[in-house]
Amino acid sequence: MEVIIQADYDAVSRVAADLVEELVRKKPDCVLGLATGGTPVGLYQELIRRHQEEKLSFSKVTSFNLDEYYGLTPDHPQSYHYFMNEELFDHINIPKKNRHVPDGMAKNVEKWCKSYENKIKRAGGIDLQVLGIGGDGHIAFNEPGSSLVSRTRMKTLTEETIRDNKRFFNKNETVPIHAITMGVGTIMDAKHCIMIATGEKKAKIVAAALEGPVTSQVTASVLQMHPKTTVIIDEAAAKKLKNHKYYRWCYDRKPTG
Ligand code: PGA
């Protein structure tokens, strides 16, 4: 696991965008795993800028999103379909047929989830998976106690996640309590994972995920067992890491070639 500590949110977004750009230029038909939430917005803005100003093309890219609230239609302003259109898809050129976001209205959820897994497989697997981390340590909506080998399925959100995500909803709206989410095992199959986190609020859970035991109670901790994960965080989110000096030392002396 590589840990990259940057000064602030913008720098984190730029370094994450560098990794996405590097892959897209090297492998134009790559498969991206995409995340929602507040954290990746800066990354998406940077990708949009590079698309518009620097001719970064996504015309052959395929994407799979991590999760979607169960019960929200794609045109619901708080759905992750809507979020992805607003924050990324409407501004870059990933072909519509290549974009995949879990169906929050799926009737036969089990069957739908299996077909999502199959689609990922048929696409050749995910080359680069973007991840945030929840206040309770979740990756995607894999809440504490999720099996570390789980696949795409329905999950019940924790009170903490519902509270955290309330900020995106209007006062009179209720946050859905279920979601369809890629499993921890689905994420672990990605060839490269990048986890981004910023702000002091994330410092404790980032330390637990990176330096604590691997446990289903903090599903992000399983990334310690992933063969290629890059964690990109700002100074504030790195505050509680015991080995932060060593991570900086490594980054400054990164071998080339
Ligand atoms: P956030 O969410 O980016 O809005 O903090 C992260 C997550 O829940 O994965």
Side-chain angles (χ1 to χ4, degrees):
M1 181 185 274
E2 184 185 19
V3 182
I4 301 176
I5 302 169
Q6 293 288 300
D8 55 24
Y9 180 76
D10 288 347
V12 166
S13 301
R14 278 196 302 274
V15 171
D18 288 346
L19 293 177
V20 176
E21 172 167 4
E22 195 186 325
L23 173 67
V24 173
R25 296 221 188 257
K26 203 160 64 192
K27 187 180 177 189
D29 61 346
C30 64
V31 179
L32 298 178
L34 299 175
T36 52
T39 315
V41 170
L43 158 65
Y44 296 155
Q45 282 172 356
E46 184 59 18
L47 292 177
I48 293 166
R49 191 193 65 72
R50 294 180 193 194
H51 170 67
Q52 292 171 347
E53 294 173 18
E54 295 167 8
K55 297 194 168 68
L56 178 61
S57 175
F58 298 85
S59 65
K60 295 194 176 108
V61 167
T62 295
S63 70
F64 288 92
N65 262 78
L66 287 170
D67 44 22
E68 176 60 288
Y69 290 115
Y70 192 63
L72 296 194
T73 55
D75 59 353
H76 188 289
Q78 265 66 46
S79 75
Y80 288 162
H81 277 82
Y82 193 94
F83 174 99
M84 287 309 297
N85 289 338
E86 290 279 301
E87 301 293 343
L88 186 68
F89 293 151
D90 286 352
H91 314 284
I92 63 168
N93 61 339
I94 300 179
K96 251 195 184 134
K97 64 174 181 18
N98 291 5
R99 311 170 190 165
H100 304 91
V101 180
D103 180 4
M105 300 304 286
K107 293 251 156 41
N108 186 336
V109 173
E110 211 179 307
K111 194 170 157 206
W112 191 92
C113 291
K114 267 198 190 118
S115 82
Y116 200 60
E117 290 277 338
N118 285 335
K119 272 186 200 153
I120 296 173
K121 250 186 228 132
R122 276 202 304 274
I126 292 169
D127 291 300
L128 180 64
Q129 176 65 60
V130 176
L131 297 165
I133 178 171
D136 62 3
H138 69 210
I139 40 174
F141 274 135
N142 292 290
E143 301 290 36
S146 291
S147 157
L148 297 183
V149 294
S150 50
R151 312 304 303 189
T152 304
R153 71 220 181 286
M154 174 101 87
K155 281 297 290 182
T156 304
L157 307 184
T158 60
E159 281 179 344
E160 183 173 357
T161 297
I162 292 169
R163 220 177 21 247
D164 284 349
N165 289 1
K166 235 184 158 52
R167 69 188 196 276
F168 298 114
F169 287 75
N170 292 326
K171 268 207 188 91
N172 52 352
E173 285 178 322
T174 48
V175 183
I177 57 171
H178 296 107
I180 293 182
T181 178
M182 276 190 206
V184 180
T186 322
I187 293 167
M188 288 295 278
D189 283 349
K191 292 166 194 113
H192 185 185
C193 289
I194 58 176
M195 189 174 91
I196 49 178
T198 57
E200 204 165 339
K201 245 182 90 186
K202 293 280 171 78
K204 197 166 155 213
I205 199 67
V206 164
L210 271 53
E211 296 179 337
V214 174
T215 167
S216 67
Q217 294 306 306
V218 178
T219 53
S221 66
V222 77
L223 293 169
Q224 293 176 34
M225 300 188 70
H226 189 275
K228 190 177 180 191
T229 286
T230 308
V231 177
I232 312 164
I233 50 180
D234 68 354
E235 301 274 0
K239 247 186 181 155
K240 292 198 187 311
L241 288 173
K242 282 198 206 83
N243 284 325
H244 65 95
K245 276 195 189 143
Y246 175 63
Y247 305 139
R248 288 176 217 266
W249 165 272
C250 291
Y251 187 60
D252 292 343
R253 289 160 185 77
K254 202 170 170 166
T256 48

